[in-house]
Amino acid sequence: MSSPKNRYLYREELPSVPPTHDHSSLAVYLALKGYPELGADNILNPATIGEYSRIVGQICRQAHLEFLRLESASSEEKLVKRAWIYQLLIEIALNTAGLEADWAKIPEKERVKALSFIREEVSSLEKEERSEVAEPVSAKYIVGQMLGDVKKVMSSNPKTKSMLAWMAEKIEKKIDPAFPASSFLSEAVRELQANAYYKMSKLGLCRFGNDYALGLRWLRHMGFVQVSTNPVLAAEAYKDDPSLWERFKDYLKKHPELVENIEKDPDALAMAATLIALWPNMEVLRPAAYLLDFQDGMVSYQLNPNVADDVEGSLRDAMRIYQLSQDYFRRYDAYLLWGWPSHLERGRPNIVFKVAGSSEASIEITRRLESLGIGTNNTVTFTVSQEVQLILAKIEGRTEAVKRGVRLTKVYETNMGGRLEAHLREAKAAELILEALKRLEQPEQALAELAKRLGVPGAEPGKTWRAPTGWGYSMEASSLEEKAYLTASQAYIRTLASEALADFLLKAGTHGKTLEEVMAYLKRYEEAISLAGTLVAQRVWWIFFSEENYPKWISYLVKNYGISPAQAEEVLCGIDVLPASKRKPSDTYLTLARRNMTNTEFPNHQLNVHLEYAEKGLRLEDYDWSITRKHSPEVLETLLTIEDFKKAYELTPELAKILKEVGVYGVEEMGTSGLKPSEWASFGSRTKTMKGFTEAYNAFREECIRKARELL
């Protein structure tokens, strides 16, 4: 029997009203229509937790009967629909073994019984298949498909490996050909529950999010409750999974006005393409959103970077996206929430908008969206003053909403620590290189030799250089100073403790008379810079959410905004600091907190974090509340010699005044040389990040236009 290239060719459009009367019938119905994941998620209903194993047993009975009835179907339809029955059972089992069962508060004895029933049923179906043909072909097919879906994550970049792809490869090696679905299920549960993220989530050490648009369902089983994307990652999703372009074209066929208005409104195409990549993520996280009362399960959508500094333009885009998502999910929720209490609001998008802190406009955009009960996730944020200012805007908007009885959602304040560190490293490296060049007799020749050694392409003296910077764009360098900055960029100097840089400085006679002395100097700065992002995240979290300051903010909100203590708690408890742009495992392990914190992770970073735990035998409990750890005073002393770190770490006079009014501890020692809103646009990390995001967005939009024109 040949395997179909696309199992979704057999997927049918669902009627607007579910044609069923019980959870088990709905689950099997959805599986046979091509929606096994939705069928599995529907039974995560807190109203039926005491009957969970009974419902699973009913699903096993009905699934087995449907499996037998498919004997008379065509060979390809039989293979696909039986595969979906296997997938329904496997998805239910993974939900039961995963953190979803905790969120739904399913009793342990119910979980154990349900898993036992599913294991027996899957094994029984495999025996049925082998009684008809030599091997369980549908079981083998769906296991291959499910593993293949996971392997897509970061597959377009051969230099990286995602944690999920690594897990899939481990599982694949242990598949028993005679019992592919049974063995897959056992190994998948084992790998999920042995993972560092599952264990940290289970212990309640922190919340976690995915900095990527694919692979979320497996991560949800491990406790991941957030997705954060940007134009770069949206484009990567389409590279990893080219089938998304076919879904994009199908969407355009149903909305021909988008194609007709290509020239007039090209951004509408990019918006549609991004939503097509993100709606599946929102589907995956909707059970988390409803089970956790919209205090988790959110998907971050970055607004068009071309209008990031335009309040009305950004709000207009946000409202358009929100309405499209609400229309989509009202239909989806008819199935997901079938059997749930009728008072629950259907269709509310589990979306927050990424508002770039690239200018003062972001303050008003944030406040206005929050006042509507629409969450925000401030991004392109690297500094204490930015993040404190934008959290204050969140508080103001959320207070307006809560007074009107609007139920608030989880929202985020991103701390792009890795990008701050990359900028500081570049700034320090450029400073060192420029200082050394002043002492060298043939500076351009010496710089070209260093650049070649570091891998800068086309680094010839007397010529213009053009090369990638590592920020998503290339830089053209003609002058000696420009070439120094290009050489210092993160694409070529990943660490200051670089032997090539040390040799260069030694030749110039700076920062040491021996290679060892120069390397010691560079290592001191590298070690300090590698903690810069963590220190910013620590300070922001401490100002608002530490045990010392949190009660003071509650009192301040009650007194100054005229709300009740319960409303003040709702306003404040739903704001999470979101450490992002990680570069090393410690960026995660040193920013854990049991509340008001979600760490968002790249797929390859996830693997490094897990391997740090698995291979080094870390005791995860040792990192409980690691956000409160004290670090060496020498680290801070070193960092404060870098002007841009001082801007990133200190407050402004205006913020210091507000924090004193609140009664925040230690404001006097925090300094007031922090970045002012009028300076946000010119800060180094911001200019590099926004340039990369904007170029990525524009390139993605051009590809959307090209695909749309194929339909003309």
Side-chain angles (χ1 to χ4, degrees), residues 211 378-384 386-387 413-425 471 490 528-538 577-584 587-588 591 599-600 602 639 645 648 683 685 689:
D211 227 344
N378 296 113
T379 186
V380 194
T381 40
F382 319 90
T383 72
V384 170
Q386 275 181 302
E387 294 167 32
E413 190 62 41
T414 293
N415 176 59
M416 301 185 86
R419 287 178 178 265
L420 172 64
E421 291 169 9
H423 166 65
L424 296 177
R425 186 176 293 108
W471 292 86
Q490 65 172 329
I529 287 171
S530 70
L531 278 170
T534 295
L535 291 174
V536 169
Q538 277 190 322
V577 176
L578 189 79
S581 306
K582 316 291 185 56
R583 301 294 187 263
K584 53 195 179 301
D587 292 341
T588 293
T591 53
N599 272 272
T600 189
F602 291 133
L639 285 170
F645 176 77
F683 190 62
S685 303
T689 297

Side-chain angles (χ1 to χ4, degrees), residues 523-541:
K523 284 179 180 178
R524 177 164 67 90
Y525 271 90
E526 178 59 35
E527 289 170 4
I529 287 171
S530 70
L531 278 170
T534 295
L535 291 174
V536 169
Q538 277 190 322
R539 175 164 279 190
V540 173
W541 186 90

Side-chain angles (χ1 to χ4, degrees), residues 649-662:
Y649 195 59
E650 296 190 357
L651 300 169
T652 64
E654 295 78 10
L655 291 176
K657 182 180 178 182
I658 294 171
L659 298 189
K660 285 179 183 178
E661 289 176 12
V662 175

Side-chain angles (χ1 to χ4, degrees), residues 264-276:
K264 185 178 178 181
D265 192 7
D267 288 316
L269 291 173
M271 183 184 295
T274 304
L275 283 172
I276 284 164

Side-chain angles (χ1 to χ4, degrees), residues 285-350:
L285 285 182
R286 278 187 90 67
Y290 278 104
L291 290 167
L292 302 171
D293 198 20
F294 275 75
Q295 295 308 294
D296 275 312
M298 310 308 290
V299 174
S300 296
Y301 180 111
Q302 181 150 351
L303 293 170
N304 180 351
N306 290 313
V307 296
D309 302 331
D310 177 355
V311 174
E312 297 306 323
S314 292
L315 290 172
R316 189 167 49 248
D317 277 2
M319 296 307 295
R320 186 176 179 183
I321 294 161
Y322 200 79
Q323 185 61 54
L324 287 170
S325 298
Q326 185 164 274
D327 293 344
Y328 179 89
F329 281 106
R330 278 180 177 149
R331 186 181 185 93
Y332 184 84
D333 286 351
Y335 287 86
L336 177 67
L337 301 182
W338 184 92
W340 284 59
S342 59
H343 68 265
L344 277 177
E345 183 182 19
R346 269 68 169 169
R348 182 174 184 172
N350 52 322

